[in-house]
């Protein structure tokens, strides 16, 4: 028997399904949190929808930074598990909790204290009723940052163990609390925007405490113990930050770009803000299965690299990318067919509804070709330690094409909101070409995350 046939797969087909299928369901549940807020608050009026939409752009910026740090911790933990070093994996988990907690508490304090100033800096002089809704939603959202940050870290650690059922269960409970809280506080107590934000806050608190409790079990390959006895490991923190910082900068710059674009959209008026929010909400459904596969790819490729199975890392990357692409095709087809009733759920004026339908249909066609290599494939590169490359490509493409072209198309060519979305598609296409070229070569597999 040859040596090649003796190589054991790092992940069997069954293990991949156990990892990825719960992630798909979890992503569907996660997206419904934002959709439930927007749909249920839409009964309060366009100003409430617009205020939540603007703040969610800022919230997403910070949540993406927390998620980037969680990804850094997941990559490090996965590589330690691939090396069969459970002590190293457990200690890296503790360091990850310290990092995300310190970061999220700091940002929460800044956002609560400088609420109005930050909103005016990001969005300028929007209509007074929109700004009032945004201020209320922003400070209540900021209180949830430490909880969502620690939850993301815990969920990432469970994924690195190949267990995504825990985060699925936590996401389900979070959605039940959020939607039930929305119904009670928005409709029952007539709290409007404050009700939506409060429900989200309590749902995130619950998910955070649940994941922390489950991470204390010694039956897990990675478990947390003596977290309150502060012990900082500079080497492991550096390993986490080696992936987390470039990924955080990449995600942060991406969301800052979206904020600048959101400020541009705000200048088009309330109808465009609302249409933009509706299309972002519905459009997020399209990528759910593919995004879940991308999350699983971090664990799979990280384990392969930790075990020094570079050939398997390449094979898994190719196969998972193709599966993700197939899901994108199917999901976009469904959205195209159901676009009109989906947009109708938001109960907006006819002009807003017509603009939303036009943009959403164009979005589906562009997404089929360019979304998957733009956003799924980079996860494999990051899991191998090639996070700086993905950061540089994403930042350059964002500033030149997503932001620069938005102003050119929206103002110079007078395309308005459609021009902003067209600039986004150009950005996707540029990223797709570069990341496919990088994955075809070998340099991404020569990086080191842990020593």
């Amino acid at each position: 028997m040859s040596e090649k046939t003796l190589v054991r797969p790092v992940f069997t087909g069954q293990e991949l399904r156990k990892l990825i299928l719960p992630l798909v369901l979890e992503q569907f549940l996660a997206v419904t949190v934002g959709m439930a807020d927007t749909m249920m608050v839409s009964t309060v009026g366009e100003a409430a929808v617009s205020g939540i939409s603007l703040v969610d752009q800022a919230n997403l910026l910070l949540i993406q930074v927390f998620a980037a740090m969680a990804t850094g911790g997941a990559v490090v933990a996965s590589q330690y598990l691939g090396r069969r070093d459970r002590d190293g994996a457990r200690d890296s988990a503790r360091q990850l909790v310290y990092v995300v907690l310190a970061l999220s508490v700091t940002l929460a304090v800044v956002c609560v204290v400088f609420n109005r100033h930050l909103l005016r800096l990001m969005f300028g002089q929007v209509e007074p009723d929109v700004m009032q809704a945004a201020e209320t939603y922003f400070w209540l959202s900021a209180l949830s940052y430490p909880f969502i940050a620690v939850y993301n870290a815990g969920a990432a650690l469970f994924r690195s163990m190949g267990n995504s059922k825990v985060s699925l269960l936590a996401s389900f409970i979070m959605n039940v609390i959020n939607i039930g809280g929305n119904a009670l506080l928005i409709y029952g107590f007539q709290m409007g925007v404050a009700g939506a934000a409060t429900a989200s806050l309590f749902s995130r608190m619950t998910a955070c405490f649940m994941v922390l409790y489950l991470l204390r079990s010694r039956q897990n390959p990675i478990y947390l113990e003596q977290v309150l006895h502060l012990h900082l490991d500079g080497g492991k923190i550096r390993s986490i930050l080696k992936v987390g910082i470039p990924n955080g900068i990449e995600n942060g710059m991406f969301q800052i770009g979206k904020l600048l674009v959101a400020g541009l959209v705000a200048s088009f008026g309330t109808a465009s803000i609302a249409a933009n929010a509706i299309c972002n909400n519905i459009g997020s459904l399209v990528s759910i299965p593919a995004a879940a596969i991308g999350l699983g790819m971090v664990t799979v490729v990280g384990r392969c690299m930790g075990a020094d199975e570079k050939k398997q890392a390449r094979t898994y990357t190719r196969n998972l990318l193709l599966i993700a692409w197939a899901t994108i095709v199917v999901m976009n087809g469904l959205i195209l067919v159901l676009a009109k009733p989906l947009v109708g759920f938001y109960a907006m004026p006819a002009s807003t509804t017509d603009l939303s339908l036009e943009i959403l249909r164009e979005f589906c066609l562009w997404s089929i070709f360019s979304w998957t290599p733009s956003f799924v494939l980079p996860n494999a590169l990051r899991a191998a330690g090639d996070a700086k490359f993905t950061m540089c490509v994403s930042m350059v493409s964002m500033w030149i094409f997503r932001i620069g072209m938005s102003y050119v198309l929206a103002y110079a060519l007078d395309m308005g909101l459609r021009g902003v979305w067209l600039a986004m598609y150009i950005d996707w296409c540029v990223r797709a070409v570069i990341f496919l070229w990088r994955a075809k070569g070998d340099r991404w597999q020569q990086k080191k995350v842990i020593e």
Side-chain angles (χ1 to χ4, degrees):
M1 185 177 294
S2 67
E3 181 180 351
K4 181 177 179 180
T5 59
L6 290 173
V7 176
R8 180 188 180 277
V10 176
F11 279 85
T12 65
Q14 182 180 7
E15 288 171 334
L16 285 175
R17 288 189 293 272
K18 286 177 63 177
L19 172 65
I20 292 173
L21 290 180
L23 286 175
V24 174
L25 296 175
E26 179 189 348
Q27 292 301 299
F28 271 110
L29 289 172
V31 168
T32 61
V33 173
M35 293 188 71
D37 281 349
T38 306
M39 286 182 177
M40 298 176 97
V41 174
S42 67
T43 60
V44 181
E46 274 192 321
V49 174
S50 299
I52 288 179
S53 169
L54 293 177
V55 172
D56 274 342
Q57 298 289 332
N59 283 341
L60 193 56
L61 163 63
L62 299 177
I63 290 171
Q64 289 289 340
V65 172
F66 306 148
M69 293 302 162
T71 298
V75 168
V76 173
S78 294
Q79 293 209 7
Y80 273 116
L81 289 177
R83 189 185 284 185
R84 303 184 185 278
D85 181 356
R86 292 193 174 187
D87 289 338
R90 285 193 286 268
D91 197 31
S92 67
R94 288 180 62 190
Q95 307 309 311
L96 174 61
V97 171
Y98 295 149
V99 168
V100 298
L101 193 56
L103 177 63
S104 60
V105 169
T106 301
L107 290 174
V109 170
V110 170
C111 291
V112 168
V113 173
F114 299 103
N115 183 328
R116 175 184 289 266
H117 303 288
L118 290 172
L119 288 173
R120 294 208 177 277
L121 177 65
M122 290 184 287
F123 304 118
Q125 299 295 324
V126 298
E127 297 169 19
D129 52 350
V130 174
M131 180 57 74
Q132 183 179 0
E135 288 176 10
T136 300
Y137 196 73
F138 191 31
W139 81 264
L140 283 168
S141 296
L143 298 179
S144 74
Y145 292 162
F147 302 107
I148 194 65
V150 174
Y151 164 73
N152 279 337
L157 290 171
F158 273 110
R159 287 195 298 270
S160 70
M161 293 182 262
N163 182 354
S164 53
K165 290 182 180 179
V166 167
S167 55
L168 169 61
L169 178 60
S171 185
F172 175 76
I173 293 173
M174 186 161 54
N175 273 261
V176 170
I177 294 174
N178 186 71
I179 294 173
N182 279 341
L184 177 64
L185 299 177
I186 295 174
Y187 302 142
F189 288 90
Q190 302 295 312
M191 290 177 63
V193 171
T198 302
S200 294
L201 169 61
F202 279 99
S203 70
R204 289 170 175 175
M205 289 174 63
T206 302
C208 169
F209 293 134
M210 174 182 171
V211 167
L212 283 177
Y213 175 77
L214 294 174
L215 272 174
R216 292 177 59 84
S217 173
R218 288 176 171 267
Q219 296 180 355
N220 300 318
I222 299 175
Y223 55 84
L224 291 175
E225 61 179 359
Q226 298 183 332
V227 177
L228 297 180
H229 294 80
L230 186 64
H231 171 68
L232 300 179
D233 185 324
K236 290 185 175 62
I237 290 176
R238 282 191 294 272
S239 293
I240 293 169
L241 298 180
K242 188 176 181 179
V243 177
I245 287 180
N247 195 21
I249 293 174
E250 177 185 342
N251 290 350
M253 288 297 102
F254 181 74
Q255 294 305 324
I256 287 173
K258 289 182 70 175
L259 283 173
L260 292 174
V261 172
L264 173 61
V265 171
S267 69
F268 300 150
T270 302
S272 288
I273 296 174
N276 192 59
I278 290 169
C279 291
N280 277 319
N281 268 266
I282 298 175
S284 64
L285 294 172
V286 167
S287 58
I288 289 174
I293 292 170
L295 287 174
M297 194 179 282
V298 172
T299 297
V300 173
V301 175
R303 289 266 198 100
C304 290
M305 297 302 293
D308 200 28
E309 288 288 348
K310 295 179 180 179
K311 186 175 181 180
Q312 288 197 53
R314 185 179 293 275
T315 300
Y316 284 124
T317 298
R318 182 186 66 246
N319 293 343
L320 290 174
L321 184 68
L322 291 174
I323 295 170
W325 219 322
T327 67
I328 283 287
V329 173
V330 172
M331 291 299 297
N332 276 288
L334 290 173
I335 297 297
L336 279 171
V337 172
L338 299 173
K340 193 168 184 178
L342 285 172
V343 172
F345 279 130
Y346 290 85
M348 291 287 107
S351 58
T352 302
T353 298
D354 291 342
L355 180 59
S356 300
L357 283 171
E358 184 179 5
I359 292 172
L360 188 60
R361 287 164 178 158
E362 292 176 352
F363 166 85
C364 289
L365 296 174
W366 282 94
S367 178
I368 287 173
F369 298 102
S370 55
W371 195 91
T372 306
S374 299
F375 295 101
V376 175
L377 183 55
N379 282 328
L381 306 181
R382 295 183 193 107
D386 201 18
K388 288 184 180 178
F389 179 83
T390 64
M391 175 190 73
C392 292
V393 171
S394 299
M395 286 176 59
V396 171
S397 182
M398 162 63 73
W399 287 100
I400 294 176
F401 299 104
R402 181 72 175 273
I403 299 174
M405 289 300 294
S406 286
Y407 283 88
V408 172
L409 295 172
Y411 284 140
L413 299 183
D414 198 26
M415 293 180 67
L417 185 60
R418 287 186 64 238
V420 170
W421 283 71
L422 179 57
M424 179 177 73
Y425 309 143
I426 295 171
D427 173 39
W428 290 0
C429 291
V430 171
R431 293 168 186 252
V433 170
I434 296 175
F435 289 141
L436 285 168
W437 166 79
R438 182 70 166 188
K440 186 177 180 180
D442 297 323
R443 293 185 63 180
W444 65 281
Q445 292 189 308
Q446 309 304 319
K447 306 296 180 178
K448 291 282 187 182
V449 175
I450 60 176
E451 299 300 327

